[in-house]
Amino acid sequence: MTASVQKVAVLGAGSWGTAFAKIVADTAAEQQTSVETVLWGRNPQSMQQCQQTRVNEKYFPGIVLPEKLQFTADLQEALSGADIVVLAIPAQSLRAQLEVAIPLSEPHAVFVSLAKGLEQGTRLRMSEVIADVLSTVHPQLSESETQSRIAVLSGPNLAKEIVAEQPTASVIAAHTEEIAQAIAKVCASSYFRPYIGTDIVGVEIGGLVKNVIALCVGMCDGLGYGDNSKASVMTRGLAEITRLALALGGEPATMSGLAGMGDLVATCSSPLSRNHTAGRHLAAGVSSRELGTVMTQTAESVKTAPVVVELASQHGIEMPICEAVSAVLADQLNIKDLAPQLLGRSLKNENSTRSI
C-alpha cells in the first residue's frame, strides 16, 4: 500500500457495500481529504440510477448518499488507481470475482474482505481465498508480500443502522498494525469507529460462525422459544466460536471483543439481521432452498453452516449448535426437534471440555 491513500474501490453494491462506501466518503468529507470513493455494482442500470439520484433504492430507499461517492458498473474504472479494494461480495462468489478483479487491480492494492463465510469445497476463510487467488495471479509474490495485501473487517455491522449514522465500532485485522491503521484512517467517520489488530483468524471465525448461531436464534424465535433459550444458545454459541477460533490459531481476547461477542449479540438480537430473519423463515416452514424467494439479501449462514461443521470435525472440535443447524438445513432434523440437540448431550464443566 502506498503511504497516502488516494482512492478506495468498494466492490458490491448491496446493503453492506453501500453502507461502507458511505462511511469512506463521509470520512473523506469530515477529514477534508482528497480520497476518492467508488462503489461498483454489476447492474449498469442500477448504478446509473444511483449516480443520478444518489439513492440505492433497492436497499436504502429515501437515504441520500454522499455527493462525492461515485457509482459504476465498469470494474476496470472502479479498480484503476485504487489503493484499497473493499470486497463486499458474498462468500461463495468471492473467488470468481477476484479472478477477474485482481488482474485489473493496482500492483500495490490492499484487499479488505467484508464477507463472512467459508468457501464450500475448500473450507477456506475469505482471507485465504484472497491469498490463493493473489498468489495464482502474481506467483512472483512472496508469502509475506501476499499477506501484506490482505485485511478483514468485522464487528456489529447492521447496515441499516450504519446508514442512519448510528454509532458503531468494528475491528480491522491485517498482517501488521501499520496496514490495519492505514485502512482504519479512511473509514474513521464520526459515527463509525474502527479498532485495529492482527488476529485475522479470530476476526474471521467470529464473524462467520456467529451467522450460524444467529440463524439458530432466529429459529428459536420462530418456534416461540423465550429469552432463556435464546440467551443459552448465544452463550454456548460463543463457546463454540471460541473453541474453533483457538484451534485455528485465533486469540482468546478477540472472542470477547467486537468481532466476537459484539457481532454475536447484534446479529442474534436484531430483526435487521439477515441470518436471524432467515432462521425465523425456516421456523415458519420456508425451506432453505426457498429463502431467496422471501429475502432480498443473502443469508451467508445457510451455506456456511455445513462447512463450519466440516472444519470443526477436521480439527476435532465439538460444535453441537452448528451441527444441529446444519442437520436442519440438510433436512436430516425436523426443526421442531431442534431443542434437544442445541446444548450438547454430555454433562460437563462449563469452562472445560471434560465430560462428567
Side-chain angles (χ1 to χ4, degrees), residues 21-287:
K22 180 184 185 304
I23 293 168
V24 177
D26 284 343
T27 301
E30 291 171 5
Q31 297 179 359
Q32 297 183 331
T33 68
S34 59
V35 175
E36 179 186 356
T37 311
V38 179
L39 178 62
W40 173 86
R42 295 178 182 277
N43 189 312
Q45 184 177 356
S46 295
M47 291 300 94
Q48 184 178 15
Q49 184 179 27
C50 287
Q51 184 69 37
Q52 292 172 346
T53 66
R54 320 303 306 165
V55 175
N56 188 332
E57 195 65 36
K58 181 177 180 180
Y59 294 101
F60 302 116
I63 301 293
V64 179
L65 298 168
E67 189 62 35
K68 290 191 175 182
L69 174 58
Q70 301 299 306
F71 303 85
T72 184
D74 185 327
L75 186 59
Q76 186 161 18
E77 178 186 338
L79 294 170
S80 178
D83 306 293
I84 297 175
V85 179
V86 179
L87 303 164
I89 296 166
Q92 306 311 321
S93 305
L94 183 62
R95 180 181 294 273
Q97 189 60 65
L98 283 172
E99 289 171 346
V100 178
I102 287 178
L104 300 175
S105 301
E106 300 296 339
H108 64 274
V110 172
F111 295 87
V112 183
S113 172
L114 305 187
K116 299 175 180 180
L118 291 171
E119 186 177 49
Q120 291 179 311
T122 66
R123 302 173 192 162
L124 295 179
R125 292 175 283 109
M126 297 298 97
S127 65
E128 294 175 310
V129 173
I130 298 170
D132 194 22
V133 180
L134 261 176
S135 61
T136 299
V137 175
H138 299 299
Q140 77 281 5
L141 293 176
S142 67
E143 182 178 354
S144 178
E145 289 171 328
T146 298
Q147 293 302 320
S148 70
R149 295 183 61 187
I150 300 170
V152 299
L153 184 149
S154 191
N157 300 140
L158 296 167
K160 189 172 181 180
E161 293 185 359
I162 292 173
V163 165
E165 301 186 8
Q166 297 180 16
T168 304
S170 290
V171 59
I172 297 169
H175 187 53
T176 67
E177 287 196 356
E178 290 74 19
I179 297 169
Q181 185 73 36
I183 298 165
K185 285 181 179 179
V186 304
C187 59
S189 74
S190 57
Y191 57 89
F192 188 83
R193 170 65 159 89
Y195 289 80
I196 63 170
T198 58
D199 184 14
I200 292 177
V201 172
V203 168
E204 286 193 290
I205 292 299
L208 69 92
V209 182
K210 61 87 190 178
N211 282 339
V212 182
I213 307 303
L215 185 71
C216 186
V217 172
M219 292 181 192
C220 291
D221 248 349
L223 291 169
Y225 298 164
D227 291 335
N228 287 343
S229 299
K230 289 180 284 187
S232 297
V233 170
M234 289 168 63
T235 305
R236 296 312 304 164
L238 182 59
E240 292 190 14
I241 295 169
T242 301
R243 285 199 294 269
L244 183 59
L246 297 187
L248 296 174
E251 300 172 8
T254 302
M255 298 301 99
S256 60
L258 291 162
M261 184 174 65
D263 199 7
L264 179 71
V265 169
T267 310
C268 289
S269 304
S270 175
L272 298 176
S273 162
R274 66 189 72 177
N275 292 286
H276 185 279
T277 299
R280 294 201 309 272
H281 283 307
L282 291 169
V286 177
S287 73

